[in-house]
Amino acid sequence: MEMLSCLADALRYVLPAVSFIALIVGGIAYVTNQPYRDEIDHALKPDLKAPERMLPRGYNADQVRQVKQRLHGELVDDRRTLLDVYVSPVLYWNDIVFAVAIAVFSASLWLWVLLQFEPTGIARLLVIIFAASSVLYGIADVTEDVMLARLFTANRISTGEVRIASVLTQIKMVSITASVAGVMVFFVLSLLTPHKTFAPVNSPAPS
């Protein structure tokens, strides 16, 4: 019992630091990724969206094929297309770093609340749900990123794998919302991070 008490005391000091560091790492990954995301979103307009944006209904194999074809036709430089950029560095590794960091941030925060304030009854149950949802979010998001990267690099897009990836996307969004802290960080980052601007395609020539 004394050892457990010492461990709990140590975690009361360690967890806030872990949560803060994870928050910084997640923020850096999000801001770093945003210009690539903006390029991809712009290339897919007006009729397509990145699979992660297709909520709440999810997506199917035909939609993934269309996204793949569109991005494959958009050159970034002599060697890469937007599809290559989508796979890396967007899915590998920025999205994965963000998912792990935000999951660690949120889970550590709620575990600290559990140890520091020792809530009881409904409050305790809610904190446990928030922490568990944070872990579930991290697992679902990382797995979704890996599966989407595989789909976009495979010669043939599997309908079954797309269905699993789509379910993971839905689970990811539900679980980050249920984590509370994770979804709040996501919304703050999305509001504060500047977006890349694009000149109109048919803008008039300067006089």
Side-chain angles (χ1 to χ4, degrees):
M1 288 295 293
E2 185 177 347
M3 183 177 295
L4 291 175
S5 178
C6 290
L7 178 60
D9 289 338
L11 286 174
R12 287 188 180 95
Y13 292 99
V14 171
L15 287 173
V18 170
S19 186
F20 178 75
I21 293 170
L23 177 61
I24 298 300
V25 172
I28 292 172
Y30 186 95
V31 172
T32 301
N33 220 23
Q34 194 57 55
Y36 302 117
R37 282 285 183 188
D38 288 340
E39 289 277 0
I40 291 166
D41 291 340
H42 181 71
L44 294 175
K45 288 180 178 178
D47 54 325
L48 293 173
K49 291 181 180 180
E52 302 98 311
R53 314 277 204 224
M54 297 181 190
L55 292 164
R57 294 185 178 181
Y59 43 91
N60 55 43
D62 186 54
Q63 289 170 313
V64 173
R65 289 189 193 98
Q66 291 179 49
V67 169
K68 182 178 180 179
Q69 184 177 6
R70 177 78 59 83
L71 296 180
H72 184 67
E74 296 284 337
L75 294 176
V76 175
D77 52 41
D78 293 338
R79 295 184 177 183
R80 297 185 304 164
T81 67
L82 264 183
L83 183 64
D84 298 323
V85 171
Y86 193 6
V87 173
S88 177
V90 172
L91 295 173
Y92 288 139
W93 292 94
N94 290 339
D95 268 12
I96 289 177
V97 171
F98 175 79
V100 172
I102 295 305
V104 170
F105 155 75
S106 186
S108 298
L109 177 64
W110 291 122
L111 184 56
W112 175 79
V113 169
L114 195 65
L115 293 173
Q116 181 69 22
F117 299 102
E118 300 181 353
T120 58
I122 296 297
R124 181 181 180 83
L125 178 60
L126 286 174
V127 170
I128 292 173
I129 290 173
F130 297 158
S133 297
S134 304
V135 175
L136 178 60
Y137 159 72
I139 295 171
D141 199 353
V142 170
T143 309
E144 174 216 38
D145 291 334
V146 172
M147 291 202 68
L148 285 175
R150 285 182 53 186
L151 287 167
F152 284 125
T153 54
N155 293 326
R156 177 179 172 274
I157 292 178
S158 166
T159 301
E161 289 186 356
V162 171
R163 189 177 296 115
I164 294 172
S166 180
V167 170
L168 286 168
T169 299
Q170 294 168 315
I171 292 173
K172 173 189 78 173
M173 293 310 299
V174 171
S175 57
I176 193 175
T177 302
S179 74
V180 181
V183 77
M184 288 177 64
V185 169
F186 177 81
F187 278 123
V188 170
L189 286 172
S190 64
L191 287 173
L192 297 182
T193 304
H195 289 270
K196 189 172 182 179
T197 58
F198 298 89
V201 175
N202 296 320
S203 57
S207 56

